[in-house]
Amino acid sequence: MTTPAAVIVDAAAYAQAVQDAVRAAAAYYEGGTSALDDDTYDRLVRGIADWEAEHPEGVLPDSPTGKVAGGAIEGDVPHTVPMLSLDNVFSEEEFTAWTASLARRTGRETTRFSVGPKLDGLAIAARYTDGRLSRLITRGDGTAGEDVSHAIGTIEGLPETLEEPVTVEVRGEVLMTSAQFEHANEVRTGHGGQPFANPRNAAAGTLRAKERAYTVPMTFFGYGLLPLPGTGSAPAERMHGMAHSDLMGLAAGLGVHTSARTAVPETLAETPEEVLLRVKEIAALRAELPFGIDGIVIKADLAADRESAGSGTRAPRWAIAYKLPAVEKITRLLEVEWNVGRTGIIAPRGVLEPVVIDGSTITYATLHNPADITRRDLRLGDQVMVHRAGDVIPRIEAPVAHLRTGEERPIEFPAQCPRCGSDIDTREERWRCAQGRNCHLVASLAYATGRDQLDIEGLGATRVVQLVDAGLVSDLADVFTLRREQLLGLERMGETSTDNLLAAIARAKEQPLSRVLCALGVRGTGRSMSRRIARYFATMDHVRAADADAMQRVDGIGSEKAPSIVAEMAELAPLIDKLTAAGVNMTEPGATWPPAAEAASDDDGPAAAPAGGPLDGMAVVVTGAMTGSLEKLSRNEMNELIERAGGRSSSSVSRRTTLVVAGEGAGSKRAKAEQLGVRLATPDEFAAMVSGLLG
């Protein structure tokens, strides 16, 4: 969908828009700050361009439409070849118009294209003399840039020495990965500074900083290679006339970091249709990338095409940026709500001035925990950067501190549990009610007895409230010791309903260990992780005996999560003992100890799904409504079926997905599977694949 332009009604509004755009660009390129987010800036510039198209006689010399990105910043190091920015398109229609224009300029109906990610960072030119990095220069106004050579040695992926002693210039993007951004803000706030609003601003501000008491890492991705004048070496000479894809292969061979080893490598496309397919593929992977992209760069690959197309004063005519919908917007933090989860975790949630991000109106965003609020120095009334990509829960990145008015107020932390008034355990970053699960006993029990956990029919939230109010249950184990006469004494509990409930409780005792673990609600686990733990350890005794190193061997449990799971299992020991004494099953059918996959392996990798099934080694996503023999299965039961068949269930479609089971009403996940070429199956086709496991 085309990004709508800002509406400019007259010359005065046009002059103000130009001034606002120039100030925003200057603030960003000088220090990594801006009063406008990317989407708002793009809308403003498109509005300026629309007004100028209708009033060419009134175009102001400062207009951003005639300048490269960053043109507000003057530099004193001339570029050997102009370092231009890219024009943008926002829709398939605009892209098709651009390809038609390119074909007219080159005289060809078809042109070979290079298609790759548009990295969300800061463009620089890295000059190498005889293979050694000698100078770093920003884009500046396109003809000259700033010398930022002080940053040499702090940028990952930008080697200080090339594999060959050539004199060349590598052009590329400096950015921060998600992990580097989090680390940068920890270091920056630890030194008393304000956190950066987003990774792009962090990279821009960090690259120019010369006298900071600390350094933080950044990452470089090369996207261009050219010889420097006056060099006669063979490698430099052979660059003349090379296709862009060949130049990038040469750059990688010299040791320069490019997108080639990422999930979104630059690839070739022979037709505009192939380009658009690749655009969709990269867009589908955007939320999973460890670095930010805001679009896809499309270039004519052949040198002859680039020469025929030529360049304007602002941008080359042989390349374009296909911009993606913004995933970050600036809005105001109005309030903070404190919610208590079923395990007693006290979680803050930000209430926002409504803002539209990628087609969805966002009014709430996660704030993680009190320590994170303190670290980011968030205040009520702050303008904050909100991030949302794909189906990811919106999160508040940081305050846009330079927009503060002085009227912002501190966020008050609760002194007692906001649900029950008990003390709060503040020993860890994630605060917890001292009552733990008992703070939210009804919710905890209703969750534990639900269909995807112990599946005790007749024990819904209303009945749980009745049992708790009557003093008959104080934890999950008490459910399994309920007596007939106790239930008959409750209101609206006749003999039939009592007998049915007792029968359901008896059946729940035979549920597999994976269901019991899920019912316990261990922090950091869910239905899928509970199944992995149960199938790895086979019995509750083995789970309880596991230390952090052993727990980490389970697929998906890393070094951070393992210790907390082990600690939680120790905390749950009294409840587990009561459940065992009540006769609840504590083994996983079909699982053995040690795990079969581990016993057959010589390495220390995590246990895999059971081998030999009809879905052996397959990553399967289920979407839409199931029909036929699968109709009565819950999504959790479908996932259990997949894993019993040797596959691995997943909730998102990616290049690693093997099969998507698409039922009625399947939407975005089916579309993404089609974009990525992932195999699709109907519910009936899938049922046939696993027919031997269906009851």
Side-chain angles (χ1 to χ4, degrees):
M1 183 175 67
T2 302
T3 298
V7 177
I8 298 176
V9 296
D10 55 28
Y14 164 71
Q16 184 62 54
V18 169
Q19 186 179 50
D20 291 345
V22 169
R23 284 177 177 173
Y28 164 62
Y29 286 100
E30 285 177 353
T33 62
S34 175
L36 306 179
D37 53 53
D38 281 354
D39 187 62
T40 304
Y41 181 80
D42 283 342
R43 290 169 188 263
L44 186 64
V45 172
R46 286 172 72 85
I48 291 170
D50 288 349
W51 194 91
E52 290 174 348
E54 295 181 7
H55 306 85
E57 75 288 349
V59 175
L60 294 174
D62 288 342
S63 171
T65 60
K67 295 182 172 63
V68 302
I73 304 303
E74 296 181 359
D76 54 7
V77 182
H79 290 299
T80 56
V81 174
M83 195 170 181
L84 306 180
S85 52
L86 295 175
D87 285 331
N88 299 324
V89 295
F90 295 85
S91 67
E92 292 187 11
E93 292 76 17
E94 291 183 2
F95 169 71
T96 300
W98 174 78
T99 59
S101 173
L102 179 64
R104 288 194 299 271
R105 295 180 186 280
T106 61
R108 298 176 179 83
E109 287 299 323
T110 58
T111 302
R112 194 170 78 186
F113 300 96
S114 172
V115 189
K118 183 178 182 298
L119 300 156
D120 197 8
L122 192 74
I124 65 167
R127 293 181 182 176
Y128 287 85
T129 304
D130 296 327
R132 293 192 63 83
L133 181 57
S134 56
R135 207 165 200 183
L136 293 181
I137 309 153
T138 66
R139 175 186 280 140
D141 65 359
T143 59
E146 296 176 80
D147 190 322
V148 289
S149 301
H150 59 271
I152 291 176
T154 67
I155 305 173
E156 297 178 8
L158 189 62
E160 295 187 48
T161 305
L162 297 177
E163 295 296 322
E164 295 183 42
V166 292
T167 300
V168 295
E169 181 170 294
V170 179
R171 292 185 172 180
E173 202 87 0
V174 173
L175 53 78
M176 283 189 184
T177 65
S178 300
Q180 287 174 337
F181 173 59
E182 289 298 323
H183 174 69
N185 270 347
E186 287 181 11
V187 173
R188 182 174 169 87
T189 55
H191 281 79
Q194 290 292 335
F196 291 111
N198 56 31
R200 186 205 60 214
N201 289 8
T206 300
L207 186 65
R208 288 185 168 80
K210 294 182 178 180
E211 298 179 357
R212 282 188 182 157
Y214 58 89
T215 59
V216 292
M218 297 174 286
T219 296
F220 176 83
F221 283 88
Y223 60 65
L225 181 69
L226 61 153
L228 289 173
T231 59
S233 64
E237 286 295 324
R238 70 175 184 263
M239 293 180 201
H240 296 287
M242 285 181 68
H244 170 74
S245 54
D246 293 332
L247 283 170
M248 294 316 299
L250 177 59
L254 292 172
V256 175
H257 186 225
T258 70
S259 67
R261 294 184 180 180
T262 71
V264 286
E266 200 170 27
T267 57
L268 292 176
E270 298 294 332
T271 66
E273 291 75 21
E274 289 183 13
V275 171
L276 289 174
L277 179 61
R278 182 57 179 154
V279 166
K280 292 178 180 177
E281 290 175 347
I282 294 176
L285 295 169
R286 183 185 192 184
E288 303 172 21
L289 298 175
F291 48 82
I293 66 171
D294 59 0
I296 293 90
V297 175
I298 303 148
K299 302 175 182 176
D301 187 56
L302 300 178
D305 288 342
R306 299 200 300 272
E307 185 174 347
S308 298
S311 298
T313 57
R314 178 185 184 277
R317 299 188 181 96
W318 45 264
I320 202 77
Y322 193 121
K323 292 296 287 290
L324 296 175
V327 295
E328 289 184 331
K329 291 283 189 70
I330 296 174
T331 190
R332 191 176 300 279
L333 176 62
L334 302 177
E335 193 55 75
V336 173
E337 296 178 349
W338 297 88
N339 301 309
V340 184
R342 56 183 170 76
T343 63
I345 293 294
I346 301 171
R349 182 175 72 162
V351 181
L352 307 171
E353 248 178 30
V355 60
V356 177
I357 304 180
D358 196 9
S360 297
T361 300
I362 307 301
T363 53
Y364 298 98
T366 182
L367 284 171
H368 303 294
N369 54 63
D372 191 66
I373 291 174
T374 301
R375 186 162 48 241
R376 297 179 192 274
D377 188 28
L378 287 163
R379 305 172 194 176
L380 296 180
D382 264 336
Q383 295 282 352
V384 293
M385 187 69 73
V386 181
H387 178 98
R388 179 184 183 270
D391 295 327
V392 175
I393 297 172
R395 67 175 184 267
I396 293 174
E397 292 281 25
V400 187
H402 65 279
L403 297 181
R404 281 178 172 160
T405 64
E407 297 181 1
E408 296 78 14
R409 296 171 288 117
I411 295 172
E412 293 186 8
F413 295 172
Q416 287 84 34
C417 172
R419 179 177 178 80
C420 70
S422 299
D423 290 339
I424 297 176
D425 183 350
T426 62
R427 289 175 296 177
E428 298 182 7
E429 286 197 350
R430 298 181 72 192
W431 289 7
R432 192 182 189 198
C433 174
Q435 296 296 319
R437 287 170 174 78
N438 288 336
C439 171
H440 227 310
L441 181 59
V442 171
S444 180
L445 290 176
Y447 169 82
T449 58
R451 179 179 177 182
D452 289 335
Q453 287 69 246
L454 294 175
D455 193 16
I456 304 179
E457 189 174 352
L459 199 54
T462 301
R463 189 68 67 197
V464 169
V465 170
Q466 196 176 19
L467 292 171
V468 171
D469 288 347
L472 297 180
V473 294
S474 60
D475 59 30
L476 179 58
D478 288 342
V479 171
F480 294 95
T481 60
L482 287 169
R483 301 189 303 275
R484 193 168 188 270
E485 61 270 19
Q486 289 177 316
L487 294 175
L488 284 172
L490 297 175
E491 187 178 353
R492 298 186 304 279
M493 282 295 287
E495 291 190 2
T496 299
S497 57
T498 293
D499 291 341
N500 288 342
L501 178 54
L502 289 172
I505 291 172
R507 288 192 298 272
K509 289 184 179 181
E510 305 306 317
Q511 290 283 12
L513 173 61
S514 55
R515 295 284 192 115
V516 176
L517 284 171
C518 191
L520 290 173
V522 177
R523 285 172 290 175
T525 71
R527 293 185 289 268
S528 178
M529 186 59 69
S530 295
R531 289 194 296 272
R532 294 182 205 171
I533 293 171
R535 288 180 182 148
Y536 183 88
F537 289 106
T539 71
M540 181 64 84
D541 285 344
H542 290 134
V543 177
R544 295 174 68 177
D547 59 13
D549 289 339
M551 190 62 68
Q552 198 171 326
R553 294 179 65 84
V554 178
D555 185 21
I557 297 180
S559 57
E560 293 184 7
K561 186 179 288 186
S564 66
I565 294 175
V566 170
E568 184 113 0
M569 292 305 300
E571 181 182 316
L572 288 166
L575 177 58
I576 295 171
D577 288 340
K578 285 183 66 176
L579 289 167
T580 303
V584 176
N585 172 58
M586 294 290 171
T587 63
E588 185 71 8
T592 58
W593 180 262
E598 181 176 295
S601 174
D602 292 329
D603 61 29
D604 290 330
L615 304 179
D616 189 17
M618 297 175 68
V620 183
V621 174
V622 178
T623 183
M626 296 296 102
T627 55
S629 57
L630 305 177
E631 185 174 4
K632 294 184 179 181
L633 298 182
S634 69
R635 193 51 47 86
N636 183 57
E637 289 167 336
M638 280 289 293
N639 291 338
E640 289 178 330
L641 176 61
I642 290 166
E643 294 178 12
R644 286 204 311 274
R648 179 174 59 82
S649 61
S650 176
S651 61
S652 60
V653 179
S654 70
R655 286 183 175 274
R656 295 182 291 276
T657 304
T658 312
L659 176 71
V660 172
V661 184
E664 293 181 1
S668 60
K669 291 180 182 178
R670 179 189 182 104
K672 188 171 180 179
E674 291 172 342
Q675 292 170 8
L676 298 178
V678 175
R679 176 184 172 189
L680 288 162
T682 66
D684 288 344
E685 289 169 340
F686 180 75
M689 294 172 65
V690 296
S691 58
L693 296 172
L694 287 172

